[in-house]
Amino acid sequence: MSGEVGAAATAAVERLVRDVPDFPEPGIVFKDITPLLADSAGFGAVIDGLAQAGRDDSGAPVVDKVLGMEARGFIFAAPVALALGVGFVPVRKVGKLPGETHEVSYELEYGEATLELHRDGIGDGERVLLVDDVLATGGTARATHDLVRQCGGTPVGLAVLLELGFLSGRDAIGDLPLTSLSVV
Ligand code: AMP
């Protein structure tokens, strides 16, 4: 991403997100965000960088809601929503939301996952920014995109700290604009 805000956010991700090899299983390099969260200046820079994805060139917010994917997406999406002055909406794993939901199931490397969104979480025609920590295969992002559509909303972008380029998650989200603070 470009500009001073984007450069500070990218620097924070590259300095403070830690690689943990072979977690949670052999062969996976886990991107550990906890050192970033523990650094107030770095965390703030990342929130400002992600929030840029929900602004126009003049800095005005262009979204009605910010949606975060359970669980690490919540940590970033909620402060991004506050920065933009709009509401936060959670997408949760199946069985956690108490109200009427839409649900989407999708393939994981081993097995299947189901995500849910409250039917009244997104209003008809609302513009929604999706936020998560890591874009890997894109399955989670694709499912979340489809949930927003089921509610009648319009996904206007996906903002992530890290894009694992070798997994081609970008291909899974079609023409949804992607903001990645860092690509590995
Ligand atoms: P995917 O649906 O494959 O794009 O996976 C995205 C979700 O899995 C994100 O919500 C991430 O939190 C998590 N994830 C996938 N790969 C990693 C990784 N290498 N390190 C940390 N989190 C990951």
Side-chain angles (χ1 to χ4, degrees):
M1 85 173 307
S2 59
E4 267 177 48
V5 171
T10 298
V13 169
E14 292 178 353
R15 186 169 64 88
L16 293 164
V17 176
R18 169 169 64 188
D19 281 357
V20 181
D22 300 319
F23 183 88
E25 51 188 78
I28 304 288
V29 178
F30 188 80
K31 299 294 181 182
D32 177 16
I33 58 168
T34 61
L36 170 73
L37 301 179
D39 184 302
S40 170
F43 189 16
V46 162
I47 297 306
D48 291 344
L50 294 171
Q52 292 275 86
R55 301 184 191 280
D56 65 16
D57 290 344
S58 75
V62 293
V63 296
D64 303 299
K65 293 278 165 53
V66 176
L67 186 153
M69 294 87 131
E70 186 171 356
R72 288 184 295 273
F74 294 173
I75 297 169
F76 298 99
V80 166
L82 289 175
L84 293 173
V86 302
F88 162 75
V89 182
V91 161
R92 298 215 60 182
K93 291 168 185 161
V94 69
K96 303 287 187 186
L97 289 171
E100 289 282 307
T101 62
H102 289 296
E103 62 176 66
V104 169
S105 297
Y106 62 104
E107 297 292 317
L108 296 175
E109 199 173 352
Y110 301 104
E112 203 184 61
T114 301
L115 294 177
E116 288 186 308
L117 174 60
H118 271 150
R119 287 179 182 238
D120 62 2
I122 306 286
D124 207 27
E126 282 193 318
R127 295 164 58 81
V128 184
L129 175 66
L130 282 45
V131 173
D132 205 354
D133 62 339
V134 173
L135 178 69
T137 65
T140 305
R142 178 79 232 175
T144 302
H145 169 281
D146 293 349
L147 284 169
V148 171
R149 283 266 177 231
Q150 284 188 39
C151 287
T154 303
V156 297
L158 168 66
V160 298
L161 279 67
L162 277 157
E163 176 185 352
L164 306 184
F166 56 93
L167 290 176
S168 305
R170 192 175 275 265
D171 296 342
I173 60 169
D175 56 7
L176 183 68
L178 174 62
T179 299
S180 310
L181 300 182
S182 181
V183 182
V184 292

PDB file of all heavy atoms in Angstrom, residues 62-67 89 122-123 126-130 148 153-158 176:
ATOM      1  N   VAL A  62     -16.005   5.581   3.352  1.00  0.00           N
ATOM      2  CA  VAL A  62     -16.891   5.202   2.242  1.00  0.00           C
ATOM      3  C   VAL A  62     -17.590   3.878   2.527  1.00  0.00           C
ATOM      4  O   VAL A  62     -18.110   3.235   1.607  1.00  0.00           O
ATOM      5  CB  VAL A  62     -16.121   5.107   0.905  1.00  0.00           C
ATOM      6  CG1 VAL A  62     -15.626   6.474   0.461  1.00  0.00           C
ATOM      7  CG2 VAL A  62     -14.965   4.122   1.000  1.00  0.00           C
ATOM      8  N   VAL A  63     -17.557   3.444   3.787  1.00  0.00           N
ATOM      9  CA  VAL A  63     -18.236   2.194   4.144  1.00  0.00           C
ATOM     10  C   VAL A  63     -19.230   2.463   5.274  1.00  0.00           C
ATOM     11  O   VAL A  63     -19.105   3.441   6.025  1.00  0.00           O
ATOM     12  CB  VAL A  63     -17.237   1.091   4.569  1.00  0.00           C
ATOM     13  CG1 VAL A  63     -16.340   0.718   3.409  1.00  0.00           C
ATOM     14  CG2 VAL A  63     -16.414   1.507   5.771  1.00  0.00           C
ATOM     15  N   ASP A  64     -20.227   1.569   5.373  1.00  0.00           N
ATOM     16  CA  ASP A  64     -21.249   1.673   6.417  1.00  0.00           C
ATOM     17  C   ASP A  64     -20.969   0.738   7.593  1.00  0.00           C
ATOM     18  O   ASP A  64     -21.448   0.946   8.700  1.00  0.00           O
ATOM     19  CB  ASP A  64     -22.627   1.321   5.833  1.00  0.00           C
ATOM     20  CG  ASP A  64     -22.984   2.198   4.649  1.00  0.00           C
ATOM     21  OD1 ASP A  64     -23.059   3.427   4.848  1.00  0.00           O
ATOM     22  OD2 ASP A  64     -23.152   1.674   3.532  1.00  0.00           O
ATOM     23  N   LYS A  65     -20.217  -0.333   7.326  1.00  0.00           N
ATOM     24  CA  LYS A  65     -19.891  -1.317   8.363  1.00  0.00           C
ATOM     25  C   LYS A  65     -18.491  -1.864   8.109  1.00  0.00           C
ATOM     26  O   LYS A  65     -18.029  -1.929   6.962  1.00  0.00           O
ATOM     27  CB  LYS A  65     -20.876  -2.499   8.333  1.00  0.00           C
ATOM     28  CG  LYS A  65     -22.309  -2.170   8.730  1.00  0.00           C
ATOM     29  CD  LYS A  65     -22.473  -2.151  10.236  1.00  0.00           C
ATOM     30  CE  LYS A  65     -23.759  -1.498  10.712  1.00  0.00           C
ATOM     31  NZ  LYS A  65     -24.991  -2.011  10.135  1.00  0.00           N
ATOM     32  N   VAL A  66     -17.848  -2.272   9.221  1.00  0.00           N
ATOM     33  CA  VAL A  66     -16.608  -3.039   9.119  1.00  0.00           C
ATOM     34  C   VAL A  66     -16.870  -4.406   9.731  1.00  0.00           C
ATOM     35  O   VAL A  66     -17.393  -4.509  10.841  1.00  0.00           O
ATOM     36  CB  VAL A  66     -15.434  -2.346   9.836  1.00  0.00           C
ATOM     37  CG1 VAL A  66     -14.185  -3.230   9.790  1.00  0.00           C
ATOM     38  CG2 VAL A  66     -15.149  -0.990   9.211  1.00  0.00           C
ATOM     39  N   LEU A  67     -16.528  -5.431   8.999  1.00  0.00           N
ATOM     40  CA  LEU A  67     -16.822  -6.800   9.412  1.00  0.00           C
ATOM     41  C   LEU A  67     -15.513  -7.533   9.704  1.00  0.00           C
ATOM     42  O   LEU A  67     -14.569  -7.458   8.917  1.00  0.00           O
ATOM     43  CB  LEU A  67     -17.583  -7.449   8.251  1.00  0.00           C
ATOM     44  CG  LEU A  67     -18.148  -8.832   8.423  1.00  0.00           C
ATOM     45  CD1 LEU A  67     -19.351  -8.971   7.515  1.00  0.00           C
ATOM     46  CD2 LEU A  67     -17.077  -9.806   8.040  1.00  0.00           C
ATOM     47  N   VAL A  89     -19.224  -5.499  12.819  1.00  0.00           N
ATOM     48  CA  VAL A  89     -20.074  -6.698  12.749  1.00  0.00           C
ATOM     49  C   VAL A  89     -19.179  -7.943  12.751  1.00  0.00           C
ATOM     50  O   VAL A  89     -18.253  -8.021  11.946  1.00  0.00           O
ATOM     51  CB  VAL A  89     -20.930  -6.691  11.458  1.00  0.00           C
ATOM     52  CG1 VAL A  89     -21.836  -7.916  11.410  1.00  0.00           C
ATOM     53  CG2 VAL A  89     -21.762  -5.424  11.376  1.00  0.00           C
ATOM     54  N   ILE A 122     -26.097  -6.710   8.702  1.00  0.00           N
ATOM     55  CA  ILE A 122     -25.812  -5.821   7.566  1.00  0.00           C
ATOM     56  C   ILE A 122     -27.148  -5.428   6.939  1.00  0.00           C
ATOM     57  O   ILE A 122     -27.941  -6.308   6.592  1.00  0.00           O
ATOM     58  CB  ILE A 122     -24.983  -6.555   6.481  1.00  0.00           C
ATOM     59  CG1 ILE A 122     -23.710  -7.189   7.055  1.00  0.00           C
ATOM     60  CG2 ILE A 122     -24.672  -5.622   5.306  1.00  0.00           C
ATOM     61  CD1 ILE A 122     -22.618  -6.243   7.404  1.00  0.00           C
ATOM     62  N   GLY A 123     -27.381  -4.140   6.786  1.00  0.00           N
ATOM     63  CA  GLY A 123     -28.619  -3.669   6.174  1.00  0.00           C
ATOM     64  C   GLY A 123     -28.556  -3.767   4.661  1.00  0.00           C
ATOM     65  O   GLY A 123     -27.470  -3.793   4.063  1.00  0.00           O
ATOM     66  N   GLU A 126     -26.003  -1.828   2.316  1.00  0.00           N
ATOM     67  CA  GLU A 126     -24.868  -1.269   3.059  1.00  0.00           C
ATOM     68  C   GLU A 126     -23.539  -1.705   2.439  1.00  0.00           C
ATOM     69  O   GLU A 126     -23.386  -2.830   1.968  1.00  0.00           O
ATOM     70  CB  GLU A 126     -24.920  -1.686   4.535  1.00  0.00           C
ATOM     71  CG  GLU A 126     -25.933  -0.879   5.317  1.00  0.00           C
ATOM     72  CD  GLU A 126     -25.778  -1.048   6.820  1.00  0.00           C
ATOM     73  OE1 GLU A 126     -25.561  -2.182   7.296  1.00  0.00           O
ATOM     74  OE2 GLU A 126     -25.898  -0.034   7.532  1.00  0.00           O
ATOM     75  N   ARG A 127     -22.577  -0.787   2.516  1.00  0.00           N
ATOM     76  CA  ARG A 127     -21.237  -1.040   1.968  1.00  0.00           C
ATOM     77  C   ARG A 127     -20.345  -1.529   3.108  1.00  0.00           C
ATOM     78  O   ARG A 127     -20.295  -0.898   4.174  1.00  0.00           O
ATOM     79  CB  ARG A 127     -20.686   0.247   1.349  1.00  0.00           C
ATOM     80  CG  ARG A 127     -21.512   0.698   0.135  1.00  0.00           C
ATOM     81  CD  ARG A 127     -21.223   2.149  -0.236  1.00  0.00           C
ATOM     82  NE  ARG A 127     -19.817   2.357  -0.519  1.00  0.00           N
ATOM     83  CZ  ARG A 127     -19.225   2.061  -1.688  1.00  0.00           C
ATOM     84  NH1 ARG A 127     -19.950   1.586  -2.688  1.00  0.00           N
ATOM     85  NH2 ARG A 127     -17.961   2.279  -1.870  1.00  0.00           N
ATOM     86  N   VAL A 128     -19.645  -2.636   2.854  1.00  0.00           N
ATOM     87  CA  VAL A 128     -18.963  -3.338   3.945  1.00  0.00           C
ATOM     88  C   VAL A 128     -17.489  -3.564   3.628  1.00  0.00           C
ATOM     89  O   VAL A 128     -17.153  -4.074   2.548  1.00  0.00           O
ATOM     90  CB  VAL A 128     -19.642  -4.714   4.195  1.00  0.00           C
ATOM     91  CG1 VAL A 128     -19.008  -5.415   5.387  1.00  0.00           C
ATOM     92  CG2 VAL A 128     -21.141  -4.545   4.398  1.00  0.00           C
ATOM     93  N   LEU A 129     -16.624  -3.208   4.586  1.00  0.00           N
ATOM     94  CA  LEU A 129     -15.192  -3.520   4.503  1.00  0.00           C
ATOM     95  C   LEU A 129     -14.914  -4.761   5.344  1.00  0.00           C
ATOM     96  O   LEU A 129     -15.284  -4.821   6.521  1.00  0.00           O
ATOM     97  CB  LEU A 129     -14.359  -2.341   5.030  1.00  0.00           C
ATOM     98  CG  LEU A 129     -12.845  -2.577   5.105  1.00  0.00           C
ATOM     99  CD1 LEU A 129     -12.250  -2.742   3.706  1.00  0.00           C
ATOM    100  CD2 LEU A 129     -12.163  -1.422   5.847  1.00  0.00           C
ATOM    101  N   LEU A 130     -14.282  -5.765   4.743  1.00  0.00           N
ATOM    102  CA  LEU A 130     -13.920  -7.006   5.432  1.00  0.00           C
ATOM    103  C   LEU A 130     -12.487  -6.876   5.946  1.00  0.00           C
ATOM    104  O   LEU A 130     -11.607  -6.401   5.204  1.00  0.00           O
ATOM    105  CB  LEU A 130     -13.982  -8.183   4.450  1.00  0.00           C
ATOM    106  CG  LEU A 130     -15.326  -8.794   4.060  1.00  0.00           C
ATOM    107  CD1 LEU A 130     -16.385  -7.770   3.736  1.00  0.00           C
ATOM    108  CD2 LEU A 130     -15.146  -9.742   2.881  1.00  0.00           C
ATOM    109  N   VAL A 148     -22.117 -11.562   3.319  1.00  0.00           N
ATOM    110  CA  VAL A 148     -22.515 -10.151   3.178  1.00  0.00           C
ATOM    111  C   VAL A 148     -23.541 -10.006   2.056  1.00  0.00           C
ATOM    112  O   VAL A 148     -24.562  -9.323   2.196  1.00  0.00           O
ATOM    113  CB  VAL A 148     -21.279  -9.256   2.920  1.00  0.00           C
ATOM    114  CG1 VAL A 148     -21.696  -7.821   2.563  1.00  0.00           C
ATOM    115  CG2 VAL A 148     -20.353  -9.263   4.127  1.00  0.00           C
ATOM    116  N   GLY A 153     -25.970  -6.824   1.469  1.00  0.00           N
ATOM    117  CA  GLY A 153     -24.917  -5.816   1.514  1.00  0.00           C
ATOM    118  C   GLY A 153     -23.970  -5.925   0.332  1.00  0.00           C
ATOM    119  O   GLY A 153     -24.013  -6.891  -0.439  1.00  0.00           O
ATOM    120  N   THR A 154     -23.099  -4.912   0.210  1.00  0.00           N
ATOM    121  CA  THR A 154     -22.104  -4.876  -0.860  1.00  0.00           C
ATOM    122  C   THR A 154     -20.713  -4.894  -0.255  1.00  0.00           C
ATOM    123  O   THR A 154     -20.313  -3.917   0.396  1.00  0.00           O
ATOM    124  CB  THR A 154     -22.259  -3.592  -1.708  1.00  0.00           C
ATOM    125  OG1 THR A 154     -23.582  -3.548  -2.225  1.00  0.00           O
ATOM    126  CG2 THR A 154     -21.255  -3.554  -2.852  1.00  0.00           C
ATOM    127  N   PRO A 155     -19.956  -5.988  -0.448  1.00  0.00           N
ATOM    128  CA  PRO A 155     -18.565  -5.983   0.021  1.00  0.00           C
ATOM    129  C   PRO A 155     -17.748  -5.039  -0.867  1.00  0.00           C
ATOM    130  O   PRO A 155     -17.754  -5.205  -2.092  1.00  0.00           O
ATOM    131  CB  PRO A 155     -18.114  -7.442  -0.164  1.00  0.00           C
ATOM    132  CG  PRO A 155     -19.357  -8.224  -0.494  1.00  0.00           C
ATOM    133  CD  PRO A 155     -20.326  -7.259  -1.088  1.00  0.00           C
ATOM    134  N   VAL A 156     -17.073  -4.052  -0.264  1.00  0.00           N
ATOM    135  CA  VAL A 156     -16.320  -3.091  -1.089  1.00  0.00           C
ATOM    136  C   VAL A 156     -14.818  -3.314  -1.012  1.00  0.00           C
ATOM    137  O   VAL A 156     -14.070  -2.704  -1.776  1.00  0.00           O
ATOM    138  CB  VAL A 156     -16.647  -1.626  -0.717  1.00  0.00           C
ATOM    139  CG1 VAL A 156     -18.094  -1.332  -0.995  1.00  0.00           C
ATOM    140  CG2 VAL A 156     -16.291  -1.314   0.713  1.00  0.00           C
ATOM    141  N   GLY A 157     -14.369  -4.180  -0.117  1.00  0.00           N
ATOM    142  CA  GLY A 157     -12.935  -4.456  -0.056  1.00  0.00           C
ATOM    143  C   GLY A 157     -12.602  -5.400   1.072  1.00  0.00           C
ATOM    144  O   GLY A 157     -13.402  -5.619   1.980  1.00  0.00           O
ATOM    145  N   LEU A 158     -11.408  -5.972   0.961  1.00  0.00           N
ATOM    146  CA  LEU A 158     -10.847  -6.811   2.016  1.00  0.00           C
ATOM    147  C   LEU A 158      -9.505  -6.206   2.392  1.00  0.00           C
ATOM    148  O   LEU A 158      -8.686  -5.926   1.514  1.00  0.00           O
ATOM    149  CB  LEU A 158     -10.638  -8.244   1.501  1.00  0.00           C
ATOM    150  CG  LEU A 158      -9.804  -9.174   2.385  1.00  0.00           C
ATOM    151  CD1 LEU A 158     -10.518  -9.463   3.707  1.00  0.00           C
ATOM    152  CD2 LEU A 158      -9.492 -10.483   1.662  1.00  0.00           C
ATOM    153  N   LEU A 176     -12.985  -8.512  -5.772  1.00  0.00           N
ATOM    154  CA  LEU A 176     -13.048  -7.717  -4.537  1.00  0.00           C
ATOM    155  C   LEU A 176     -11.686  -7.045  -4.310  1.00  0.00           C
ATOM    156  O   LEU A 176     -10.671  -7.725  -4.228  1.00  0.00           O
ATOM    157  CB  LEU A 176     -13.377  -8.637  -3.350  1.00  0.00           C
ATOM    158  CG  LEU A 176     -13.550  -7.954  -1.991  1.00  0.00           C
ATOM    159  CD1 LEU A 176     -14.806  -7.087  -1.973  1.00  0.00           C
ATOM    160  CD2 LEU A 176     -13.616  -9.000  -0.878  1.00  0.00           C
TER     161      LEU A 176
END
